[in-house]
Short mmCIF file of all heavy atoms in Angstrom, two decimals:
data_model
loop_
_atom_site.label_atom_id
_atom_site.label_comp_id
_atom_site.label_asym_id
_atom_site.label_seq_id
_atom_site.Cartn_x
_atom_site.Cartn_y
_atom_site.Cartn_z
N THR A 90 -28.35 2.72 20.49
CA THR A 90 -29.62 1.99 20.54
C THR A 90 -29.78 1.15 19.28
O THR A 90 -30.18 -0.02 19.33
CB THR A 90 -30.81 2.96 20.69
OG1 THR A 90 -30.65 3.68 21.90
CG2 THR A 90 -32.14 2.22 20.68
N TYR A 91 -29.45 1.73 18.16
CA TYR A 91 -29.55 1.05 16.87
C TYR A 91 -28.68 -0.21 16.86
O TYR A 91 -29.09 -1.26 16.38
CB TYR A 91 -29.11 2.01 15.77
CG TYR A 91 -29.37 1.55 14.36
CD1 TYR A 91 -30.57 1.83 13.73
CD2 TYR A 91 -28.42 0.84 13.66
CE1 TYR A 91 -30.81 1.42 12.43
CE2 TYR A 91 -28.64 0.43 12.36
CZ TYR A 91 -29.85 0.71 11.75
OH TYR A 91 -30.08 0.29 10.47
N ASN A 94 -30.18 -3.02 19.66
CA ASN A 94 -31.54 -3.53 19.65
C ASN A 94 -32.03 -3.63 18.21
O ASN A 94 -32.34 -2.63 17.58
CB ASN A 94 -32.43 -2.58 20.47
CG ASN A 94 -33.84 -3.09 20.62
OD1 ASN A 94 -34.38 -3.72 19.71
ND2 ASN A 94 -34.46 -2.79 21.74
N SER A 95 -32.14 -4.85 17.72
CA SER A 95 -32.51 -5.04 16.31
C SER A 95 -33.93 -4.56 16.01
O SER A 95 -34.19 -4.04 14.93
CB SER A 95 -32.34 -6.49 15.89
OG SER A 95 -33.18 -7.33 16.64
N ASP A 96 -34.85 -4.70 16.96
CA ASP A 96 -36.22 -4.21 16.74
C ASP A 96 -36.23 -2.69 16.59
O ASP A 96 -36.87 -2.14 15.69
CB ASP A 96 -37.15 -4.61 17.89
CG ASP A 96 -37.42 -6.11 17.93
OD1 ASP A 96 -37.26 -6.77 16.88
OD2 ASP A 96 -37.79 -6.61 19.01
N SER A 97 -35.51 -2.02 17.47
CA SER A 97 -35.42 -0.56 17.38
C SER A 97 -34.72 -0.16 16.10
O SER A 97 -35.09 0.83 15.45
CB SER A 97 -34.65 0.01 18.57
OG SER A 97 -35.39 -0.15 19.75
N ALA A 98 -33.71 -0.90 15.72
CA ALA A 98 -32.96 -0.58 14.51
C ALA A 98 -33.86 -0.61 13.29
O ALA A 98 -33.81 0.28 12.44
CB ALA A 98 -31.79 -1.56 14.34
N ILE A 99 -34.71 -1.60 13.20
CA ILE A 99 -35.63 -1.72 12.06
C ILE A 99 -36.62 -0.55 12.06
O ILE A 99 -36.86 0.06 11.02
CB ILE A 99 -36.36 -3.08 12.09
CG1 ILE A 99 -35.37 -4.21 11.81
CG2 ILE A 99 -37.52 -3.11 11.10
CD1 ILE A 99 -35.89 -5.59 12.11
N ARG A 100 -37.17 -0.23 13.24
CA ARG A 100 -38.13 0.89 13.33
C ARG A 100 -37.45 2.21 12.97
O ARG A 100 -38.02 3.03 12.26
CB ARG A 100 -38.75 0.95 14.72
CG ARG A 100 -39.73 -0.18 14.98
CD ARG A 100 -40.66 0.08 16.15
NE ARG A 100 -40.04 0.64 17.34
CZ ARG A 100 -39.53 -0.07 18.35
NH1 ARG A 100 -39.54 -1.37 18.30
NH2 ARG A 100 -39.01 0.54 19.39
N ILE A 101 -36.24 2.42 13.46
CA ILE A 101 -35.51 3.66 13.17
C ILE A 101 -35.21 3.76 11.67
O ILE A 101 -35.41 4.81 11.06
CB ILE A 101 -34.20 3.74 13.99
CG1 ILE A 101 -34.52 3.92 15.48
CG2 ILE A 101 -33.31 4.89 13.49
CD1 ILE A 101 -33.33 3.71 16.40
N ALA A 102 -34.77 2.67 11.08
CA ALA A 102 -34.45 2.68 9.65
C ALA A 102 -35.70 2.94 8.81
O ALA A 102 -35.66 3.72 7.85
CB ALA A 102 -33.81 1.35 9.25
N ASN A 103 -36.81 2.33 9.17
CA ASN A 103 -38.06 2.55 8.44
C ASN A 103 -38.53 4.00 8.57
O ASN A 103 -38.98 4.60 7.60
CB ASN A 103 -39.16 1.59 8.92
CG ASN A 103 -38.92 0.17 8.47
OD1 ASN A 103 -38.22 -0.07 7.48
ND2 ASN A 103 -39.47 -0.78 9.20
N TYR A 104 -38.43 4.55 9.77
CA TYR A 104 -38.83 5.93 10.00
C TYR A 104 -37.94 6.89 9.20
O TYR A 104 -38.43 7.82 8.56
CB TYR A 104 -38.76 6.26 11.48
CG TYR A 104 -39.18 7.67 11.81
CD1 TYR A 104 -40.50 8.06 11.68
CD2 TYR A 104 -38.25 8.60 12.25
CE1 TYR A 104 -40.90 9.36 11.97
CE2 TYR A 104 -38.64 9.91 12.54
CZ TYR A 104 -39.96 10.27 12.40
OH TYR A 104 -40.34 11.56 12.68
N TYR A 105 -36.65 6.60 9.18
CA TYR A 105 -35.72 7.43 8.41
C TYR A 105 -36.07 7.39 6.92
O TYR A 105 -36.10 8.42 6.25
CB TYR A 105 -34.28 6.97 8.64
CG TYR A 105 -33.31 7.65 7.72
CD1 TYR A 105 -32.94 8.98 7.93
CD2 TYR A 105 -32.77 6.99 6.62
CE1 TYR A 105 -32.06 9.62 7.08
CE2 TYR A 105 -31.90 7.62 5.76
CZ TYR A 105 -31.54 8.93 5.99
OH TYR A 105 -30.68 9.57 5.14
N GLN A 106 -36.33 6.21 6.40
CA GLN A 106 -36.69 6.07 4.98
C GLN A 106 -37.95 6.86 4.66
O GLN A 106 -38.06 7.51 3.64
CB GLN A 106 -36.86 4.60 4.60
CG GLN A 106 -35.58 3.86 4.39
CD GLN A 106 -34.71 4.49 3.32
OE1 GLN A 106 -33.60 4.90 3.60
NE2 GLN A 106 -35.18 4.58 2.11
#
Side-chain angles (χ1 to χ4, degrees):
T90 299
Y91 190 89
N94 185 326
S95 62
D96 291 338
S97 292
I99 291 167
R100 288 197 317 270
I101 292 167
N103 288 337
Y104 181 69
Y105 171 74
Q106 282 302 119

